[in-house]
Amino acid sequence: MSPRELVVLGTSSQVPTRERNHNGYFLTWDGEGILFDPGDGTQRQMVRAGVAASDITRICLTHFHGDHCLGLPGVIQRISLDGSPHDVQAYFPASGEVYFDRLRHASPFYDAAVITKRPIASDMFVEQCARFSLEAHRLDHGIEAYGYRLIEPDGRRMLPDRLRERGIAGPDIAALQRAGELNGVRLEDVSEPRRGQRFAFVMDTRLCGGVETLADGADVLVIESTYLAEDEGLAVAHGHLTAGQAAKVAAECGVGTLVLTHFSQRYDDPSRFRREAEAFFDGEVVVAEDLTRVRIRG
């Protein structure tokens, strides 16, 4: 797995099209593989993208509408079939646990997968993992829904010129990082503060405080943009965002890269989403297509 990369497996909302599969997003992050919202057809999209079921360490469901979860049975059965060597943590809204259980055992199969349920019942769920914290915040949709974000702890960036000046190289660099001091040289003498990276995932929702909390300072924001501004009334009525609304959030929250996805089948010209977003956001805009890959650069 690449150290930090988003693989987009599907980009269509509600109804798949000839070009777009139902939702599905796979994030690699320092040896972790996190699968978000596996809609119908996700298992095949994983094959096309070269994502192995055994790469999955966590599954995060925002809510239980079908285009965000109906691929779960096939994915779990594939995890079992492939003999994944590790447990898989599964996060989802607690109010939908009955649906998770139905999907988990949708048909008979050789069940060797160890799937640990992690139902989310609070507005701000936080789990401390080895290399990041995983947060979930409540969104505003027709049913209970949560968005997710990963936050890497702040660290320090080593400065090559200062290391050379003090004669520190090779294994001594790691020793200095571990100990904080080496032969009279302090870590802060040869490094500078580095803010940890942030990744945010926002699906079906109207504008709400949770959207802004999740997007705040994100290096990469993956966010639904089901509609264009001309159909904002439909977005409000059905609990969704427009491309313009998503872009305004990105601009106001200091986002680095904006990844738009979850497009209504009523639109056949993806460039319209880019034009609408770029009117409000001057950072990098990715109008996601199936099998798009987005590197998360340090």
Side-chain angles (χ1 to χ4, degrees), residues 105-263:
H105 302 286
S107 66
F109 68 105
Y110 173 68
D111 189 1
V114 179
I115 310 295
T116 302
K117 295 192 296 185
R118 303 300 303 274
I120 300 168
S122 63
D123 182 54
M124 182 176 175
F125 170 91
V126 181
E127 178 170 15
Q128 294 297 138
C129 307
R131 297 181 178 88
F132 56 84
S133 61
L134 175 66
E135 297 184 0
H137 294 270
R138 186 75 178 263
L139 299 174
D140 181 12
H141 196 44
I143 62 174
E144 187 176 24
Y146 290 88
Y148 296 91
R149 71 172 175 174
L150 278 72
I151 301 178
E152 177 190 30
D154 294 339
R156 300 195 69 86
R157 180 180 290 106
M158 306 304 290
L159 301 174
D161 290 345
R162 295 188 187 179
L163 288 167
R164 282 194 294 270
E165 288 173 2
R166 289 161 174 80
I168 298 176
D172 285 345
I173 296 175
L176 174 60
Q177 289 174 316
R178 288 192 301 269
E181 185 174 352
L182 182 69
N183 299 329
V185 178
R186 300 173 304 167
L187 180 60
E188 52 264 37
D189 295 332
V190 292
S191 64
E192 63 183 8
R194 178 186 62 82
R195 198 198 72 155
Q197 289 188 312
R198 300 183 178 192
F199 171 88
F201 186 80
V202 178
M203 282 296 118
D204 298 19
T205 185
R206 301 176 183 87
L207 287 175
C208 64
V211 174
E212 296 177 355
T213 298
L214 290 160
D216 184 35
D219 295 275
V220 174
L221 168 64
V222 180
I223 188 168
E224 69 121 307
S225 57
T226 308
Y227 294 100
L228 293 170
E230 65 196 47
D231 294 314
E232 186 173 340
L234 291 175
V236 173
H238 298 298
H240 288 291
L241 298 173
T242 67
Q245 289 174 326
K248 289 178 185 177
V249 167
E252 293 168 359
C253 294
V255 167
T257 298
L258 172 64
V259 181
L260 300 177
T261 187
H262 195 272
F263 306 112

